[in-house]
Amino acid sequence: MACLLETPIRMSVLSEVTASSRHYVDRLFDPDPQKVLQGVIDMKNAVIGNNKQKANLIVLGAVPRLLYLLQQETSSTELKTECAVVLGSLAMGTENNVKSLLDCHIIPALLQGLLSLDLKFIEACLRCLRTIFTSPVTPEELLYTDATVIPHLMALLSKSRYTQEYICQIFSHCCKGPDHQTILFNHGAVQNIAHLLTSVSYKVRMQALKCFSVLAFENPQVSMTLVNVLVDGELLPQIFVKMLQRDKPIEMQLTSAKCLTYMCRAGAIRTDDNCIVLKTLPCLVRMCSKERLLEERVEGAETLAYLIEPDVELQRIASITDHLIAMLADYFKYPSSLDHDLKHAHELRQAAFKLYASLGANDEDIRKKIIETENMMDRIVTGLSESSVKVRLAAVRCLHSLSRSVQQLRTSFQDHAVWKPLMKVLQNAPDEILVVASSMLCNLLLEFSPSKEPILESGAVELLCGLTQSENPALRVNGIWALMNMAFQAEQKIKADILRSLSTEQLFRLLSDSDLNVLMKTLGLLRNLLSTRPHIDKIMSTHGKQIMQAVTLILEGEHNIEVKEQTLCILANIADGTTAKELIMTNDDILQKIKYYMGHSHVKLQLAAMFCISNLIWNEEEGPRRRCSSIWRDGSIRGTREHPTSLVKEVQELASFDSFYLHTSPWTAGSCFAKAIW
């Protein structure tokens, strides 16, 4: 089978192919096995550190011949081993080299080689497999295609320190998610790898450590198991803590901290455990120091951000450890004049934004310290327009975290007109950025935010209505949530703009959305639109029929208590209208449903239904006696003896008197409060 590079590369390489390169390939076809072996050895020496020679040999067809020799039963073990070594060397070249090797189905051939009884040949095959699987162009799934491969690799772990190093490295690079974690866990990865942490070989210990970090990541099952594993009489977390000590290599400290972090986030270790508070967190803060290498600073900050993200106490401890907040400011000072420097600068900024976002997630004082850090708001605003998607995403997340502060929304966010770059981000960005940016916009649209007015004037209504049509549920939720905040205590014009841009058709599609959050926020939007009597009457005069139809469908549907409570609250708002209430009074089906829910076993539904009745028969409006008579003409409320409140009984008693409507008090049409997204 021919293995060719992409055409443009192949043509340029072919033009440089030398006679010596052809000579190496020709010798692979010599009838004398000894000459073939010597030819492979010479080829091995020729390609070491020579990417041009590697590309030449691949183009000339060396790979298929090497694989053929490797798989031939008549080939000597020495020849097979040398072939595996050369293939591994070719894989250490460019990504195109690896692609060419994959096209020639090198992985099945090497996996077959692992069945050999010769340890050196096995190690050569594993070394080559390690090189291929650690390449970003190699699909991890190729390791899991054959169900017999993983158990065989587990069995080979005991053969030598080289098999241990290479197999652990393959596992750590090919474990990309819960499915892979489960496969490795079920085949005894924890038990087979744990004892390697005490190996005399540093490389074996490190690869075993990395293996545990990827196995534990967001995996409670693995993490809970690791907590109780004993190695030479010591629990695994204790071994990880020893590897955190300052006298250990930085790589080992960082990876051990990641293991403990992931176990903590998975619930296997408490956040107030000493190994987290006194060991892991300080270690990660140390990694953020400007004395550390760039890669260490990035990994340290990102791991620390993940560790403290959900826990306010860890956030507070981290914020006062080694002046961390000020230390992170140095991450933005890395030069970015060259492309190579720009890549590193982006990595540092991304890590700093992530950590700032976690630090400021809950505590107002920490947010204030972050914002008061030199040029912090300017840096975040600049980050929103960075060329790197990852930096933009981290900047938006940081801004979103800081936007949870009422004080900052009113001051710093207004002073720096944060809404302007945010609106630009929302115009054209990947979904992952849109989700966070739209969450941030929800907070800027809270009623006390000074940014609300200019955001409305900049065309936010149409943008948000567009988000409600997204296939991404998170974007639909955020779009309707922002509209709900926008409609809270809004003027009639804004409400009319929302209804016009959203359209009743889309509104009803959202009311039948399979995502519960979308449905609840849409009901919240309707409540906010239908507040204050003039607005209620105006909206119901144009959309009343459709709204009543939607309300009926929800009350009849299989929905939870919260959904039906919100729907009854919408009816209570409609009942507060001057003319809108007639849409309820002339709809016998709706009246029966209200009376039914007054007798419901759940108190929330009873109260919401009674608010409807209260507004319908309020005595300061025209025709209360007529409405009261219409509601109670059958003289009964469908109920049970399990009513948890006396209010229903009171309503029943009052219903028998002509003066019923005089004893009630008005329930003002309520809004669904504008809420921040946390």
Side-chain angles (χ1 to χ4, degrees), residues 277-294:
V277 178
L278 302 180
K279 300 294 182 180
T280 307
L281 188 149
C283 171
L284 291 171
V285 172
R286 287 200 307 273
M287 296 303 137
C288 298
S289 167
K290 60 183 178 182
E291 282 75 35
R292 299 263 57 87
L293 296 176
L294 182 147

Side-chain angles (χ1 to χ4, degrees), residues 555 564-572 594 597 605 608-609 612:
L555 291 177
K564 293 196 173 184
E565 179 192 16
Q566 285 295 309
T567 307
L568 288 168
C569 287
I570 290 171
L571 280 177
I594 294 172
Y597 283 109
L605 297 183
C612 295

Side-chain angles (χ1 to χ4, degrees), residues 217-234:
F217 182 65
E218 294 184 345
N219 194 311
Q221 182 185 26
V222 174
S223 296
M224 291 295 185
T225 302
L226 293 179
V227 167
N228 298 309
V229 171
L230 281 170
V231 179
D232 293 345
E234 264 191 309

